[in-house]
RNA sequence: GGAGGGUUGGCCGAGCGGACGAAGGCAGCGGUCUUGAAAACCGCCGGGCGCUUCGCGCGUCCCGUGGGUUCGAAUCCCACACCCUCCGCCA
């Protein structure tokens, strides 16, 4: 959620910032009216309650003879408080619903434009050259006995996979490698709950906007997480942190579940886009002054992980029109996939500034002043399936075997896969 | 799944219809004393929202959460969540 006070105090700057994301001024005028209405109803309710409270306290002090008359008089006040309460409630509900749908203010440095208009900041790694036609990950992994899509379709349907044999071991190696790199940079490994309550989804901004992307349980009120960002962000829900504790840095490892509604026909081959995948996710809670630096820091960890795997990729500064609701700025790493002859997203890191923290109520204590909302950031350390695709496609050899990058050899125990 | 017990401020813990946002203790912070420290003593010591001459201030809400009863609820009633104990089941 954006800061309603900012909209009130500096409507022009707020409108200009949100206009970059396609929010029009009429919608903002409506928000300001809702904010004004909310404050009026609160003031009215406070007045009514103060009056009633005085009357009740007077009864407590009164003698037995005086009481009946005073009680009768005080009874009149009940209705006024009840009316004011209903008005306040209605105004708060309308305010809440409208503000929950407003996206975060974009970072001034985030580029303009829509999906595809991202600015390539840099590339790293060497783009592999092949003598013949390179195989794609499905061919490589299936031939190597590492992937079984057909049987997964039988058991669970499309967009599911069995990773087995060297495929399963490759997952463990990649995960442990990524967690070790993250750990060297101070991110504490976490295995979080993958079923969460609505409140956690709402607090992280996935509800109400991304409801159609989420799986939910039938008999219990749980959502399956689409990323461990959700339970990691929720860890400090409703907490006031000591500023000395910051930054708090985590690396969550979990399966991720996505319905991929609306993606019919898109990326149907292989394990690029599946309903269930595993991911190591970086998450930081930082002082508001430190979030820009933290964003660069997380991006650098991601780059270190992929460069360490000797994967050629490029870093893209995502345009404002393609940002998720909670992000102010986002960097993706797109790895080169020889099987597609295209760069595809393998990581994404976002600075969500105070947008999530406001709903999560995660603050830091400020002596002699108002407590501050923290800033939160998240980024992919390693999305197993997509990293696996890039790795096997880029490091494949003519015979269908795959050279394991040296950094991963200690984790895997082999120098070659499918050899 | 069955049967009980519980949830109060950073922690412990009193309160069981009327000056209660809440006694008392511990921890923390500031001060007196001291060469310094300890002890002792004094003071401060939750959060949200709104108002504000932004100055300390004022109002209101919060005693797990949400409803209800009442002139008035931490205290009474209902529902839910979570924690603990015992039985059953279980990786």
């Amino acid at each position: 959620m954006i800061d309603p006070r900012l909209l009130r105090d500096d409507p022009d700057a707020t409108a200009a910032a949100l206009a970059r994301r396609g929010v029009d001024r009429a919608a903002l005028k409506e928000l300001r009216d809702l904010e004004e209405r909310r404050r009026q109803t609160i003031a009215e309710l406070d007045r009514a309650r103060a009056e009633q409270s005085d009357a009740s306290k007077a009864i407590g002090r009164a003698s037995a003879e005086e009481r009946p008359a005073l009680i009768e008089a005080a009874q009149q006040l009940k209705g006024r408080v009840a009316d004011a309460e209903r008005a306040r409630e209605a105004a708060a509900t309308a305010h809440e619903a409208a503000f929950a749908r407003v996206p975060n203010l974009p970072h001034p440095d985030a580029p303009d434009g829509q999906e595809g208009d991202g600015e390539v900041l840099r590339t790293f790694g060497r783009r592999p050259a092949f003598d013949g036609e390179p195989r794609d990950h499905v061919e490589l992994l299936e031939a190597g006995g590492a992937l079984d899509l057909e049987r997964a379709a039988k058991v669970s349907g499309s967009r599911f996979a069995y990773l087995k044999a060297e495929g399963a071991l490759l997952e463990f190696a990649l995960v442990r490698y990524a967690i070790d790199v993250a750990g060297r940079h101070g991110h504490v490994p976490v295995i979080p709950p993958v079923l969460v309550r609505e409140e956690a989804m709402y607090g992280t901004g996935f509800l109400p906007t991304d409801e159609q992307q989420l799986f939910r349980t039938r008999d219990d009120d749980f959502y399956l997480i689409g990323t461990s960002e959700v339970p990691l962000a929720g860890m400090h829900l409703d907490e006031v942190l000591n500023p000395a504790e910051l930054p708090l840095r985590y690396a969550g490892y979990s399966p991720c579940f996505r319905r991929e509604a609306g993606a019919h026909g898109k990326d149907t081959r292989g394990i690029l886009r599946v309903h269930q995948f595993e991911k190591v996710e970086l998450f930081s809670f930082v002082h508001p002054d430190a979030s820009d630096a933290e964003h660069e820091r997380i991006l650098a960890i991601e780059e270190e992980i992929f460069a360490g795997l000797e994967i050629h990729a490029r870093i893209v500064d995502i345009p404002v029109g393609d940002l998720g609701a909670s992000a102010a700025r986002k960097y993706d790493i797109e790895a080169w996939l020889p099987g597609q002859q295209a760069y595809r997203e393998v990581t994404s890191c976002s600075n969500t500034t105070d947008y999530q923290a406001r709903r999560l109520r995660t603050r830091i204590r400020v002596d002699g002043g108002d407590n501050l909302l923290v800033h939160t950031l998240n980024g992919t350390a390693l999305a197993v399936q997509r990293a696996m695709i890039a790795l096997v496609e880029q490091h494949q050899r003519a015979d269908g075997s795959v050279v394991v990058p040296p950094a991963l050899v200690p984790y895997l125990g082999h120098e070659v896969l499918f050899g």
Side-chain angles (χ1 to χ4, degrees), chain A residues 302-326:
Chain A
E302 296 182 358
E303 185 172 352
E304 180 180 339
I305 288 169
F306 279 83
L309 294 173
E310 299 183 8
I311 286 171
H312 165 65
R314 65 184 191 186
I315 295 172
V316 182
D317 196 350
I318 299 301
V320 292
D322 196 20
L323 293 174
S326 59

Side-chain angles (χ1 to χ4, degrees), chain A residues 73-329:
Chain A
Q75 279 166 347
Q76 311 303 316
L77 268 32
K78 271 184 95 168
R80 190 181 153 199
V81 172
D83 290 347
E85 176 59 44
R86 271 191 295 276
R88 198 222 95 239
E89 176 120 12
T93 302
H95 179 272
E96 171 87 11
F99 271 80
R101 291 181 181 281
V102 179
N104 200 359
L105 301 176
H107 193 286
D109 296 339
D112 280 313
Q114 302 302 312
E115 185 173 358
D117 295 340
E119 183 184 331
V120 176
L121 298 179
R122 59 182 178 273
T123 64
F124 60 86
R126 189 179 50 84
R127 180 156 155 180
F130 301 96
D131 289 339
E133 189 76 4
R135 297 172 167 88
D136 82 350
H137 72 279
V138 178
E139 295 174 77
L140 290 161
L141 292 168
E142 282 187 340
L147 176 69
D148 190 336
L149 293 165
E150 233 170 88
R151 292 195 173 96
K154 196 165 61 177
V155 172
S156 298
S158 65
R159 295 198 192 282
F160 283 95
Y162 284 99
L163 285 177
K164 57 190 181 65
E166 287 182 292
L169 296 175
L170 181 56
E171 161 150 352
F172 296 144
L174 285 168
V175 166
R176 189 58 208 267
Y177 160 73
I179 284 177
D180 281 359
V181 175
R184 283 201 289 278
H185 291 281
H187 286 261
V188 176
V190 177
I191 296 175
V194 301
L195 297 177
V196 302
R197 292 187 177 164
E198 183 177 356
E199 188 180 17
M201 281 295 175
Y202 183 81
T204 42
F206 287 88
L207 287 177
T209 48
D210 297 321
E211 176 141 37
Q212 73 291 343
Q213 283 305 322
L214 301 171
F215 286 104
R216 54 190 313 183
T217 58
R218 187 185 57 189
D219 293 331
D220 301 279
D221 270 339
F222 289 119
Y223 287 90
L224 277 73
I225 60 171
T227 161
S228 57
E229 175 189 343
V230 173
L232 292 175
M235 278 177 91
H236 299 289
L237 184 76
D238 206 21
E239 289 184 22
V240 182
L241 303 166
N242 183 332
E245 292 177 80
L246 296 182
L248 286 166
R249 294 175 172 139
Y250 301 106
Y253 170 54
S254 78
C256 305
F257 303 94
R258 300 189 181 179
R259 292 188 61 228
E260 298 297 346
H264 305 297
K266 202 155 126 191
D267 300 318
T268 52
R269 182 170 166 80
I271 55 173
L272 185 78
R273 187 181 298 275
V274 280
H275 289 307
Q276 177 195 332
F277 60 95
E278 292 77 47
K279 180 159 64 75
V280 178
E281 178 80 358
L282 305 170
F283 199 90
S284 300
F285 295 86
V286 304
H287 189 281
D289 295 339
S291 65
D292 281 346
E294 186 73 6
H295 199 196
E296 300 301 323
R297 208 186 133 274
I298 289 175
L299 177 62
I301 295 172
E302 296 182 358
E303 185 172 352
E304 180 180 339
I305 288 169
F306 279 83
L309 294 173
E310 299 183 8
I311 286 171
H312 165 65
R314 65 184 191 186
I315 295 172
V316 182
D317 196 350
I318 299 301
V320 292
D322 196 20
L323 293 174
S326 59
R329 194 178 195 187

Side-chain angles (χ1 to χ4, degrees), chain A residues 344-357:
Chain A
R344 297 301 305 265
E345 177 183 334
V346 287
T347 77
S348 178
C349 69
S350 298
N351 181 357
T352 57
T353 62
D354 62 8
Y355 190 86
Q356 286 180 335

